[in-house]
Amino acid sequence: LSGKYLEGARPAGARFTLSDRNHERYNPERAQEAIHAYVQLARQHNLDPAQMAIAYALTKQFMGSVIIGASTM
């Protein structure tokens, strides 16, 4: 939900740039409109989209922890 893959972008060193494995599963074409709207909403409120996603997850009572899947240090 960071928006880094919007409009087909493939940032250097990013997981989907390094491998096409599961790209369609985790970033399907039909999700682009929703991701774009989400990123716009975050920017309207001067929030980082990734931080907004973490904050949302932390509001859920059933959530024991939030794990971030970084591909590099």
Side-chain angles (χ1 to χ4, degrees):
L1 289 174
S2 67
K4 68 182 172 185
Y5 298 114
L6 277 176
E7 299 172 16
R10 294 285 185 119
R15 183 174 293 137
F16 293 142
T17 303
L18 299 173
S19 171
D20 282 333
R21 195 178 120 219
N22 292 322
H23 179 72
E24 184 58 33
R25 177 180 176 192
Y26 295 110
N27 190 32
E29 186 63 37
R30 67 184 184 275
Q32 292 297 299
E33 186 176 333
I35 295 168
H36 184 73
Y38 174 83
V39 170
Q40 280 187 310
L41 179 65
R43 289 179 180 156
Q44 286 173 2
H45 295 281
N46 296 317
L47 298 169
D48 179 89
Q51 289 174 321
M52 195 165 87
I54 294 166
Y56 171 79
L58 291 173
T59 68
K60 302 303 160 198
Q61 291 181 347
F62 58 83
M63 193 74 63
S65 65
V66 178
I67 299 171
I68 302 167
S71 55
T72 62
M73 290 290 271

Short mmCIF file of all heavy atoms in Angstrom, two decimals:
data_model
loop_
_atom_site.label_atom_id
_atom_site.label_comp_id
_atom_site.label_asym_id
_atom_site.label_seq_id
_atom_site.Cartn_x
_atom_site.Cartn_y
_atom_site.Cartn_z
N LEU A 1 0.80 -1.21 0.00
CA LEU A 1 0.00 0.00 0.00
C LEU A 1 0.83 1.27 0.00
O LEU A 1 0.32 2.34 0.22
CB LEU A 1 -0.94 -0.01 1.21
CG LEU A 1 -2.08 -1.02 1.12
CD1 LEU A 1 -2.86 -1.04 2.43
CD2 LEU A 1 -2.99 -0.73 -0.03
N SER A 2 2.11 1.15 -0.26
CA SER A 2 2.94 2.35 -0.31
C SER A 2 2.73 3.13 -1.60
O SER A 2 3.08 4.30 -1.68
CB SER A 2 4.41 1.98 -0.19
OG SER A 2 4.83 1.27 -1.34
N GLY A 3 2.17 2.49 -2.61
CA GLY A 3 1.95 3.13 -3.89
C GLY A 3 3.14 3.07 -4.83
O GLY A 3 3.11 3.61 -5.92
N LYS A 4 4.20 2.39 -4.41
CA LYS A 4 5.42 2.40 -5.22
C LYS A 4 5.29 1.65 -6.53
O LYS A 4 6.09 1.85 -7.44
CB LYS A 4 6.62 1.89 -4.43
CG LYS A 4 6.58 0.42 -4.07
CD LYS A 4 7.82 0.08 -3.26
CE LYS A 4 7.74 -1.32 -2.70
NZ LYS A 4 8.88 -1.58 -1.83
N TYR A 5 4.26 0.82 -6.69
CA TYR A 5 4.08 0.08 -7.94
C TYR A 5 2.96 0.66 -8.80
O TYR A 5 2.58 0.06 -9.80
CB TYR A 5 3.78 -1.39 -7.65
CG TYR A 5 4.89 -2.10 -6.92
CD1 TYR A 5 4.71 -2.57 -5.64
CD2 TYR A 5 6.13 -2.29 -7.54
CE1 TYR A 5 5.74 -3.22 -4.97
CE2 TYR A 5 7.16 -2.94 -6.87
CZ TYR A 5 6.95 -3.41 -5.59
OH TYR A 5 7.96 -4.05 -4.92
N LEU A 6 2.44 1.82 -8.44
CA LEU A 6 1.36 2.43 -9.22
C LEU A 6 1.78 2.68 -10.66
O LEU A 6 2.92 3.03 -10.94
CB LEU A 6 0.93 3.76 -8.58
CG LEU A 6 -0.05 3.66 -7.43
CD1 LEU A 6 -0.31 5.05 -6.84
CD2 LEU A 6 -1.36 3.03 -7.85
N GLU A 7 0.82 2.51 -11.54
CA GLU A 7 1.01 2.77 -12.97
C GLU A 7 2.17 1.99 -13.55
O GLU A 7 2.90 2.46 -14.42
CB GLU A 7 1.16 4.27 -13.21
CG GLU A 7 -0.07 5.05 -12.77
CD GLU A 7 0.12 6.54 -12.80
OE1 GLU A 7 1.07 7.03 -13.44
OE2 GLU A 7 -0.70 7.24 -12.18
N GLY A 8 2.37 0.76 -13.04
CA GLY A 8 3.39 -0.12 -13.59
C GLY A 8 4.81 0.18 -13.18
O GLY A 8 5.76 -0.39 -13.72
N ALA A 9 5.01 1.08 -12.21
CA ALA A 9 6.36 1.44 -11.77
C ALA A 9 7.07 0.21 -11.20
O ALA A 9 6.45 -0.64 -10.56
CB ALA A 9 6.30 2.54 -10.73
N ARG A 10 8.35 0.12 -11.45
CA ARG A 10 9.20 -0.95 -10.91
C ARG A 10 10.46 -0.34 -10.32
O ARG A 10 11.50 -0.26 -10.96
CB ARG A 10 9.59 -1.94 -12.02
CG ARG A 10 8.47 -2.75 -12.62
CD ARG A 10 8.05 -3.85 -11.65
NE ARG A 10 7.06 -4.71 -12.25
CZ ARG A 10 7.23 -6.02 -12.43
NH1 ARG A 10 8.35 -6.59 -12.08
NH2 ARG A 10 6.27 -6.74 -12.95
N PRO A 11 10.40 0.18 -9.08
CA PRO A 11 11.56 0.82 -8.46
C PRO A 11 12.75 -0.13 -8.34
O PRO A 11 12.57 -1.32 -8.08
CB PRO A 11 11.06 1.21 -7.06
CG PRO A 11 9.58 1.10 -7.11
CD PRO A 11 9.25 0.13 -8.18
N ALA A 12 13.94 0.41 -8.51
CA ALA A 12 15.16 -0.39 -8.39
C ALA A 12 15.25 -1.02 -7.01
O ALA A 12 15.01 -0.37 -6.00
CB ALA A 12 16.38 0.50 -8.63
N GLY A 13 15.56 -2.30 -6.97
CA GLY A 13 15.73 -3.01 -5.71
C GLY A 13 14.45 -3.46 -5.04
O GLY A 13 14.49 -4.14 -4.03
N ALA A 14 13.30 -3.08 -5.58
CA ALA A 14 12.02 -3.47 -4.98
C ALA A 14 11.73 -4.95 -5.27
O ALA A 14 12.18 -5.52 -6.26
CB ALA A 14 10.90 -2.60 -5.51
N ARG A 15 10.98 -5.57 -4.40
CA ARG A 15 10.68 -7.00 -4.49
C ARG A 15 10.15 -7.41 -5.86
O ARG A 15 10.61 -8.38 -6.44
CB ARG A 15 9.67 -7.36 -3.39
CG ARG A 15 9.34 -8.83 -3.34
CD ARG A 15 8.46 -9.16 -2.16
NE ARG A 15 9.25 -8.94 -0.94
CZ ARG A 15 8.79 -8.34 0.15
NH1 ARG A 15 7.57 -7.91 0.21
NH2 ARG A 15 9.55 -8.18 1.21
N PHE A 16 9.18 -6.69 -6.41
CA PHE A 16 8.60 -7.09 -7.69
C PHE A 16 9.49 -6.72 -8.87
O PHE A 16 9.29 -7.21 -9.97
CB PHE A 16 7.21 -6.49 -7.88
CG PHE A 16 6.18 -7.05 -6.93
CD1 PHE A 16 5.21 -6.24 -6.39
CD2 PHE A 16 6.20 -8.38 -6.56
CE1 PHE A 16 4.27 -6.75 -5.50
CE2 PHE A 16 5.27 -8.90 -5.67
CZ PHE A 16 4.30 -8.08 -5.15
N THR A 17 10.46 -5.86 -8.65
CA THR A 17 11.44 -5.56 -9.70
C THR A 17 12.46 -6.69 -9.78
O THR A 17 12.89 -7.07 -10.87
CB THR A 17 12.15 -4.23 -9.40
OG1 THR A 17 11.17 -3.20 -9.27
CG2 THR A 17 13.12 -3.85 -10.50
N LEU A 18 12.82 -7.22 -8.64
CA LEU A 18 13.81 -8.30 -8.58
C LEU A 18 13.24 -9.63 -9.04
O LEU A 18 13.98 -10.48 -9.54
CB LEU A 18 14.35 -8.43 -7.15
CG LEU A 18 15.05 -7.19 -6.59
CD1 LEU A 18 15.38 -7.39 -5.12
CD2 LEU A 18 16.29 -6.88 -7.40
N SER A 19 11.94 -9.83 -8.89
CA SER A 19 11.31 -11.10 -9.26
C SER A 19 9.86 -10.87 -9.65
O SER A 19 9.14 -10.12 -8.99
CB SER A 19 11.37 -12.07 -8.08
OG SER A 19 10.59 -13.22 -8.33
N ASP A 20 9.41 -11.53 -10.70
CA ASP A 20 8.01 -11.45 -11.10
C ASP A 20 7.13 -12.41 -10.31
O ASP A 20 5.92 -12.44 -10.49
CB ASP A 20 7.86 -11.73 -12.60
CG ASP A 20 8.25 -10.55 -13.45
OD1 ASP A 20 8.14 -9.41 -12.95
OD2 ASP A 20 8.66 -10.75 -14.60
N ARG A 21 7.74 -13.21 -9.46
CA ARG A 21 7.00 -14.19 -8.68
C ARG A 21 5.94 -13.51 -7.81
O ARG A 21 6.23 -12.58 -7.08
CB ARG A 21 7.96 -14.96 -7.79
CG ARG A 21 7.35 -16.21 -7.22
CD ARG A 21 8.37 -16.96 -6.39
NE ARG A 21 7.79 -17.03 -5.06
CZ ARG A 21 8.45 -16.91 -3.95
NH1 ARG A 21 9.73 -16.72 -3.96
NH2 ARG A 21 7.85 -16.97 -2.80
N ASN A 22 4.71 -13.94 -7.93
CA ASN A 22 3.57 -13.46 -7.15
C ASN A 22 3.18 -12.00 -7.41
O ASN A 22 2.35 -11.46 -6.70
CB ASN A 22 3.81 -13.64 -5.64
CG ASN A 22 3.84 -15.09 -5.24
OD1 ASN A 22 3.08 -15.90 -5.77
ND2 ASN A 22 4.71 -15.44 -4.34
N HIS A 23 3.75 -11.37 -8.43
CA HIS A 23 3.40 -9.98 -8.71
C HIS A 23 1.90 -9.83 -8.96
O HIS A 23 1.26 -8.95 -8.39
CB HIS A 23 4.20 -9.44 -9.89
CG HIS A 23 3.86 -8.02 -10.23
ND1 HIS A 23 4.25 -6.97 -9.44
CD2 HIS A 23 3.14 -7.49 -11.25
CE1 HIS A 23 3.80 -5.84 -9.96
NE2 HIS A 23 3.13 -6.13 -11.05
N GLU A 24 1.36 -10.67 -9.80
CA GLU A 24 -0.07 -10.57 -10.12
C GLU A 24 -0.94 -10.91 -8.91
O GLU A 24 -1.99 -10.33 -8.72
CB GLU A 24 -0.43 -11.50 -11.30
CG GLU A 24 -1.86 -11.39 -11.75
CD GLU A 24 -2.28 -9.98 -12.18
OE1 GLU A 24 -1.44 -9.23 -12.71
OE2 GLU A 24 -3.46 -9.64 -11.98
N ARG A 25 -0.47 -11.79 -8.05
CA ARG A 25 -1.23 -12.15 -6.85
C ARG A 25 -1.34 -10.98 -5.88
O ARG A 25 -2.38 -10.72 -5.32
CB ARG A 25 -0.57 -13.34 -6.16
CG ARG A 25 -1.27 -13.72 -4.88
CD ARG A 25 -0.60 -14.90 -4.24
NE ARG A 25 -1.23 -15.19 -2.97
CZ ARG A 25 -0.72 -16.01 -2.08
NH1 ARG A 25 0.42 -16.62 -2.31
NH2 ARG A 25 -1.34 -16.23 -0.95
N TYR A 26 -0.24 -10.27 -5.65
CA TYR A 26 -0.22 -9.21 -4.66
C TYR A 26 -0.45 -7.81 -5.21
O TYR A 26 -0.65 -6.88 -4.45
CB TYR A 26 1.10 -9.24 -3.88
CG TYR A 26 1.25 -10.50 -3.07
CD1 TYR A 26 2.17 -11.47 -3.42
CD2 TYR A 26 0.43 -10.73 -1.96
CE1 TYR A 26 2.29 -12.64 -2.67
CE2 TYR A 26 0.54 -11.88 -1.22
CZ TYR A 26 1.47 -12.83 -1.57
OH TYR A 26 1.58 -13.98 -0.84
N ASN A 27 -0.38 -7.66 -6.52
CA ASN A 27 -0.58 -6.36 -7.14
C ASN A 27 -1.36 -6.52 -8.45
O ASN A 27 -0.86 -6.16 -9.51
CB ASN A 27 0.77 -5.68 -7.37
CG ASN A 27 0.62 -4.23 -7.77
OD1 ASN A 27 -0.30 -3.55 -7.35
ND2 ASN A 27 1.53 -3.75 -8.59
N PRO A 28 -2.58 -7.05 -8.38
CA PRO A 28 -3.34 -7.28 -9.61
C PRO A 28 -3.74 -5.96 -10.27
O PRO A 28 -3.90 -4.93 -9.60
CB PRO A 28 -4.57 -8.05 -9.13
CG PRO A 28 -4.73 -7.66 -7.71
CD PRO A 28 -3.33 -7.42 -7.19
N GLU A 29 -3.90 -6.00 -11.56
CA GLU A 29 -4.26 -4.80 -12.32
C GLU A 29 -5.55 -4.18 -11.77
O GLU A 29 -5.66 -2.97 -11.66
CB GLU A 29 -4.43 -5.16 -13.79
CG GLU A 29 -4.67 -3.97 -14.68
CD GLU A 29 -3.50 -2.99 -14.69
OE1 GLU A 29 -2.34 -3.44 -14.65
OE2 GLU A 29 -3.76 -1.77 -14.75
N ARG A 30 -6.50 -4.99 -11.37
CA ARG A 30 -7.78 -4.47 -10.88
C ARG A 30 -7.66 -3.72 -9.56
O ARG A 30 -8.56 -2.99 -9.16
CB ARG A 30 -8.80 -5.60 -10.77
CG ARG A 30 -8.47 -6.61 -9.71
CD ARG A 30 -9.46 -7.77 -9.70
NE ARG A 30 -9.19 -8.68 -8.64
CZ ARG A 30 -8.31 -9.67 -8.69
NH1 ARG A 30 -7.63 -9.89 -9.78
NH2 ARG A 30 -8.13 -10.47 -7.66
N ALA A 31 -6.54 -3.88 -8.87
CA ALA A 31 -6.35 -3.19 -7.59
C ALA A 31 -5.78 -1.79 -7.77
O ALA A 31 -5.80 -0.99 -6.82
CB ALA A 31 -5.42 -4.00 -6.71
N GLN A 32 -5.28 -1.46 -8.94
CA GLN A 32 -4.61 -0.18 -9.16
C GLN A 32 -5.48 1.03 -8.82
O GLN A 32 -5.01 1.97 -8.20
CB GLN A 32 -4.11 -0.08 -10.60
CG GLN A 32 -2.98 -1.04 -10.91
CD GLN A 32 -1.75 -0.75 -10.08
OE1 GLN A 32 -1.18 0.32 -10.15
NE2 GLN A 32 -1.35 -1.71 -9.26
N GLU A 33 -6.75 0.98 -9.19
CA GLU A 33 -7.65 2.11 -8.91
C GLU A 33 -7.82 2.31 -7.40
O GLU A 33 -7.77 3.44 -6.90
CB GLU A 33 -9.01 1.88 -9.57
CG GLU A 33 -9.93 3.06 -9.45
CD GLU A 33 -11.25 2.85 -10.19
OE1 GLU A 33 -11.30 2.09 -11.17
OE2 GLU A 33 -12.24 3.48 -9.77
N ALA A 34 -7.99 1.22 -6.67
CA ALA A 34 -8.16 1.30 -5.22
C ALA A 34 -6.88 1.80 -4.55
O ALA A 34 -6.93 2.64 -3.65
CB ALA A 34 -8.56 -0.06 -4.65
N ILE A 35 -5.73 1.31 -4.99
CA ILE A 35 -4.46 1.73 -4.41
C ILE A 35 -4.23 3.22 -4.69
O ILE A 35 -3.79 3.97 -3.82
CB ILE A 35 -3.30 0.88 -4.94
CG1 ILE A 35 -3.47 -0.57 -4.48
CG2 ILE A 35 -1.95 1.43 -4.47
CD1 ILE A 35 -2.55 -1.56 -5.18
N HIS A 36 -4.54 3.64 -5.90
CA HIS A 36 -4.38 5.05 -6.26
C HIS A 36 -5.25 5.93 -5.35
O HIS A 36 -4.77 6.95 -4.83
CB HIS A 36 -4.76 5.27 -7.73
CG HIS A 36 -4.55 6.66 -8.20
ND1 HIS A 36 -3.30 7.19 -8.44
CD2 HIS A 36 -5.43 7.65 -8.47
CE1 HIS A 36 -3.42 8.43 -8.83
NE2 HIS A 36 -4.71 8.74 -8.85
N ALA A 37 -6.49 5.54 -5.12
CA ALA A 37 -7.39 6.32 -4.25
C ALA A 37 -6.86 6.33 -2.81
O ALA A 37 -6.91 7.36 -2.14
CB ALA A 37 -8.79 5.73 -4.30
N TYR A 38 -6.34 5.21 -2.35
CA TYR A 38 -5.79 5.11 -0.99
C TYR A 38 -4.59 6.04 -0.82
O TYR A 38 -4.50 6.77 0.16
CB TYR A 38 -5.39 3.65 -0.74
CG TYR A 38 -4.69 3.43 0.57
CD1 TYR A 38 -5.41 3.27 1.74
CD2 TYR A 38 -3.30 3.39 0.63
CE1 TYR A 38 -4.76 3.07 2.95
CE2 TYR A 38 -2.66 3.20 1.83
CZ TYR A 38 -3.39 3.04 2.99
OH TYR A 38 -2.74 2.85 4.17
N VAL A 39 -3.69 6.04 -1.80
CA VAL A 39 -2.51 6.89 -1.74
C VAL A 39 -2.91 8.37 -1.78
O VAL A 39 -2.36 9.19 -1.04
CB VAL A 39 -1.51 6.53 -2.87
CG1 VAL A 39 -0.40 7.56 -2.98
CG2 VAL A 39 -0.93 5.14 -2.63
N GLN A 40 -3.89 8.70 -2.61
CA GLN A 40 -4.38 10.09 -2.66
C GLN A 40 -4.95 10.52 -1.31
O GLN A 40 -4.70 11.63 -0.86
CB GLN A 40 -5.44 10.25 -3.74
CG GLN A 40 -4.87 10.39 -5.13
CD GLN A 40 -5.97 10.72 -6.12
OE1 GLN A 40 -7.01 10.07 -6.17
NE2 GLN A 40 -5.74 11.75 -6.91
N LEU A 41 -5.72 9.65 -0.68
CA LEU A 41 -6.30 9.95 0.62
C LEU A 41 -5.20 10.21 1.65
O LEU A 41 -5.26 11.18 2.42
CB LEU A 41 -7.20 8.80 1.09
CG LEU A 41 -7.84 8.97 2.45
CD1 LEU A 41 -8.83 10.14 2.45
CD2 LEU A 41 -8.54 7.68 2.86
N ALA A 42 -4.19 9.37 1.66
CA ALA A 42 -3.07 9.55 2.59
C ALA A 42 -2.39 10.90 2.35
O ALA A 42 -2.13 11.65 3.30
CB ALA A 42 -2.06 8.41 2.44
N ARG A 43 -2.13 11.22 1.11
CA ARG A 43 -1.44 12.48 0.78
C ARG A 43 -2.28 13.70 1.14
O ARG A 43 -1.74 14.71 1.57
CB ARG A 43 -1.07 12.49 -0.70
CG ARG A 43 0.05 11.51 -1.01
CD ARG A 43 0.40 11.50 -2.46
NE ARG A 43 1.48 10.54 -2.70
CZ ARG A 43 1.71 9.97 -3.85
NH1 ARG A 43 0.94 10.25 -4.90
NH2 ARG A 43 2.69 9.11 -3.99
N GLN A 44 -3.61 13.59 0.98
CA GLN A 44 -4.49 14.71 1.34
C GLN A 44 -4.37 15.06 2.83
O GLN A 44 -4.59 16.19 3.23
CB GLN A 44 -5.95 14.38 1.03
CG GLN A 44 -6.28 14.41 -0.43
CD GLN A 44 -7.69 13.89 -0.70
OE1 GLN A 44 -8.43 13.53 0.22
NE2 GLN A 44 -8.05 13.83 -1.95
N HIS A 45 -4.04 14.06 3.62
CA HIS A 45 -3.92 14.25 5.07
C HIS A 45 -2.48 14.28 5.54
O HIS A 45 -2.21 14.13 6.73
CB HIS A 45 -4.71 13.14 5.79
CG HIS A 45 -6.18 13.22 5.52
ND1 HIS A 45 -7.00 14.11 6.17
CD2 HIS A 45 -6.96 12.56 4.64
CE1 HIS A 45 -8.24 13.97 5.72
NE2 HIS A 45 -8.23 13.04 4.78
N ASN A 46 -1.55 14.47 4.58
CA ASN A 46 -0.12 14.53 4.88
C ASN A 46 0.38 13.31 5.66
O ASN A 46 1.16 13.43 6.60
CB ASN A 46 0.23 15.82 5.64
CG ASN A 46 -0.02 17.04 4.80
OD1 ASN A 46 0.32 17.08 3.61
ND2 ASN A 46 -0.61 18.05 5.40
N LEU A 47 -0.10 12.14 5.24
CA LEU A 47 0.31 10.89 5.86
C LEU A 47 1.07 10.04 4.86
O LEU A 47 0.82 10.11 3.66
CB LEU A 47 -0.92 10.11 6.35
CG LEU A 47 -1.77 10.77 7.42
CD1 LEU A 47 -3.07 10.02 7.61
CD2 LEU A 47 -1.00 10.86 8.72
N ASP A 48 1.97 9.23 5.36
CA ASP A 48 2.65 8.24 4.53
C ASP A 48 1.69 7.06 4.37
O ASP A 48 1.13 6.58 5.36
CB ASP A 48 3.94 7.80 5.23
CG ASP A 48 4.67 6.77 4.42
OD1 ASP A 48 5.49 7.15 3.58
OD2 ASP A 48 4.40 5.56 4.64
N PRO A 49 1.46 6.57 3.15
CA PRO A 49 0.52 5.47 2.96
C PRO A 49 0.85 4.22 3.78
O PRO A 49 -0.05 3.57 4.32
CB PRO A 49 0.61 5.17 1.47
CG PRO A 49 1.09 6.43 0.86
CD PRO A 49 1.99 7.05 1.88
N ALA A 50 2.14 3.90 3.92
CA ALA A 50 2.52 2.72 4.71
C ALA A 50 2.20 2.93 6.19
O ALA A 50 1.70 2.03 6.87
CB ALA A 50 3.99 2.41 4.52
N GLN A 51 2.48 4.13 6.70
CA GLN A 51 2.16 4.42 8.09
C GLN A 51 0.65 4.38 8.33
O GLN A 51 0.19 3.95 9.38
CB GLN A 51 2.72 5.78 8.49
CG GLN A 51 4.22 5.81 8.59
CD GLN A 51 4.75 7.21 8.85
OE1 GLN A 51 4.24 8.18 8.31
NE2 GLN A 51 5.78 7.29 9.67
N MET A 52 -0.11 4.84 7.35
CA MET A 52 -1.57 4.81 7.47
C MET A 52 -2.07 3.36 7.53
O MET A 52 -2.96 3.04 8.32
CB MET A 52 -2.21 5.55 6.28
CG MET A 52 -3.67 5.87 6.49
SD MET A 52 -4.29 7.08 5.32
CE MET A 52 -4.76 6.05 3.95
N ALA A 53 -1.48 2.48 6.75
CA ALA A 53 -1.86 1.07 6.77
C ALA A 53 -1.54 0.42 8.12
O ALA A 53 -2.35 -0.33 8.67
CB ALA A 53 -1.16 0.31 5.64
N ILE A 54 -0.38 0.74 8.66
CA ILE A 54 0.01 0.20 9.97
C ILE A 54 -0.94 0.73 11.05
O ILE A 54 -1.41 -0.03 11.90
CB ILE A 54 1.47 0.56 10.30
CG1 ILE A 54 2.41 -0.16 9.33
CG2 ILE A 54 1.80 0.21 11.75
CD1 ILE A 54 3.82 0.37 9.35
N ALA A 55 -1.23 2.02 11.01
CA ALA A 55 -2.14 2.60 12.00
C ALA A 55 -3.52 1.96 11.92
O ALA A 55 -4.14 1.66 12.95
CB ALA A 55 -2.25 4.11 11.78
N TYR A 56 -4.00 1.70 10.71
CA TYR A 56 -5.30 1.04 10.54
C TYR A 56 -5.27 -0.36 11.17
O TYR A 56 -6.17 -0.73 11.93
CB TYR A 56 -5.68 0.93 9.06
CG TYR A 56 -6.89 0.08 8.84
CD1 TYR A 56 -8.17 0.58 9.06
CD2 TYR A 56 -6.76 -1.24 8.42
CE1 TYR A 56 -9.29 -0.22 8.88
CE2 TYR A 56 -7.87 -2.04 8.24
CZ TYR A 56 -9.13 -1.53 8.47
OH TYR A 56 -10.22 -2.33 8.29
N ALA A 57 -4.23 -1.12 10.87
CA ALA A 57 -4.13 -2.47 11.41
C ALA A 57 -4.09 -2.46 12.94
O ALA A 57 -4.69 -3.32 13.58
CB ALA A 57 -2.88 -3.17 10.86
N LEU A 58 -3.43 -1.48 13.51
CA LEU A 58 -3.33 -1.40 14.97
C LEU A 58 -4.65 -1.03 15.65
O LEU A 58 -4.78 -1.21 16.86
CB LEU A 58 -2.24 -0.40 15.36
CG LEU A 58 -0.81 -0.83 15.04
CD1 LEU A 58 0.16 0.31 15.31
CD2 LEU A 58 -0.42 -2.07 15.85
N THR A 59 -5.63 -0.54 14.89
CA THR A 59 -6.93 -0.21 15.49
C THR A 59 -7.81 -1.45 15.64
O THR A 59 -8.85 -1.37 16.29
CB THR A 59 -7.70 0.83 14.66
OG1 THR A 59 -8.09 0.26 13.41
CG2 THR A 59 -6.89 2.10 14.46
N LYS A 60 -7.42 -2.56 15.06
CA LYS A 60 -8.23 -3.78 15.10
C LYS A 60 -7.94 -4.56 16.38
O LYS A 60 -6.80 -4.95 16.63
CB LYS A 60 -7.96 -4.65 13.87
CG LYS A 60 -8.23 -3.92 12.57
CD LYS A 60 -9.66 -3.43 12.55
CE LYS A 60 -9.88 -2.33 11.57
NZ LYS A 60 -11.08 -1.57 11.81
N GLN A 61 -8.96 -4.78 17.18
CA GLN A 61 -8.79 -5.45 18.47
C GLN A 61 -8.24 -6.86 18.33
O GLN A 61 -7.55 -7.34 19.22
CB GLN A 61 -10.11 -5.48 19.22
CG GLN A 61 -10.57 -4.12 19.69
CD GLN A 61 -11.87 -4.19 20.46
OE1 GLN A 61 -12.58 -5.19 20.46
NE2 GLN A 61 -12.21 -3.10 21.13
N PHE A 62 -8.53 -7.53 17.23
CA PHE A 62 -8.09 -8.90 17.04
C PHE A 62 -6.62 -8.99 16.58
O PHE A 62 -6.05 -10.06 16.54
CB PHE A 62 -8.96 -9.62 16.01
CG PHE A 62 -9.00 -8.95 14.66
CD1 PHE A 62 -8.00 -9.17 13.72
CD2 PHE A 62 -10.03 -8.08 14.34
CE1 PHE A 62 -8.03 -8.55 12.49
CE2 PHE A 62 -10.07 -7.46 13.11
CZ PHE A 62 -9.06 -7.69 12.18
N MET A 63 -6.01 -7.84 16.27
CA MET A 63 -4.64 -7.82 15.74
C MET A 63 -3.65 -7.93 16.90
O MET A 63 -3.59 -7.05 17.76
CB MET A 63 -4.43 -6.51 14.98
CG MET A 63 -3.19 -6.47 14.14
SD MET A 63 -3.26 -7.44 12.63
CE MET A 63 -4.57 -6.64 11.73
N GLY A 64 -2.90 -9.01 16.94
CA GLY A 64 -1.92 -9.20 18.00
C GLY A 64 -0.64 -8.43 17.76
O GLY A 64 0.01 -7.97 18.69
N SER A 65 -0.27 -8.29 16.50
CA SER A 65 0.93 -7.53 16.13
C SER A 65 0.85 -7.19 14.64
O SER A 65 0.05 -7.76 13.91
CB SER A 65 2.20 -8.33 16.42
OG SER A 65 2.25 -9.47 15.59
N VAL A 66 1.69 -6.28 14.23
CA VAL A 66 1.75 -5.89 12.82
C VAL A 66 3.16 -6.21 12.33
O VAL A 66 4.14 -5.73 12.89
CB VAL A 66 1.44 -4.38 12.63
CG1 VAL A 66 1.56 -4.00 11.18
CG2 VAL A 66 0.05 -4.07 13.17
N ILE A 67 3.24 -7.04 11.31
CA ILE A 67 4.53 -7.45 10.78
C ILE A 67 4.74 -6.77 9.43
O ILE A 67 3.87 -6.80 8.56
CB ILE A 67 4.60 -8.99 10.60
CG1 ILE A 67 4.41 -9.66 11.96
CG2 ILE A 67 5.90 -9.41 9.95
CD1 ILE A 67 4.24 -11.16 11.89
N ILE A 68 5.90 -6.15 9.27
CA ILE A 68 6.24 -5.46 8.03
C ILE A 68 7.22 -6.33 7.27
O ILE A 68 8.24 -6.75 7.82
CB ILE A 68 6.85 -4.08 8.32
CG1 ILE A 68 5.86 -3.24 9.13
CG2 ILE A 68 7.24 -3.38 7.05
CD1 ILE A 68 6.46 -2.01 9.72
N GLY A 69 6.94 -6.61 6.01
CA GLY A 69 7.79 -7.47 5.20
C GLY A 69 8.79 -6.69 4.37
O GLY A 69 8.58 -6.46 3.19
N ALA A 70 9.88 -6.30 4.97
CA ALA A 70 10.92 -5.55 4.24
C ALA A 70 11.77 -6.53 3.42
O ALA A 70 12.04 -7.64 3.84
CB ALA A 70 11.80 -4.80 5.22
N SER A 71 12.17 -6.08 2.23
CA SER A 71 13.03 -6.94 1.39
C SER A 71 14.52 -6.65 1.60
O SER A 71 15.36 -7.42 1.20
CB SER A 71 12.65 -6.80 -0.08
OG SER A 71 12.68 -5.45 -0.47
N THR A 72 14.84 -5.50 2.22
CA THR A 72 16.23 -5.17 2.53
C THR A 72 16.27 -4.46 3.88
O THR A 72 15.25 -4.03 4.41
CB THR A 72 16.84 -4.21 1.47
OG1 THR A 72 16.11 -3.00 1.48
CG2 THR A 72 16.83 -4.84 0.10
N MET A 73 17.47 -4.30 4.42
CA MET A 73 17.62 -3.57 5.67
C MET A 73 17.29 -2.13 5.43
O MET A 73 16.89 -1.39 6.21
CB MET A 73 19.04 -3.69 6.21
CG MET A 73 19.36 -5.09 6.70
SD MET A 73 18.49 -5.49 8.18
CE MET A 73 19.62 -4.92 9.40
#
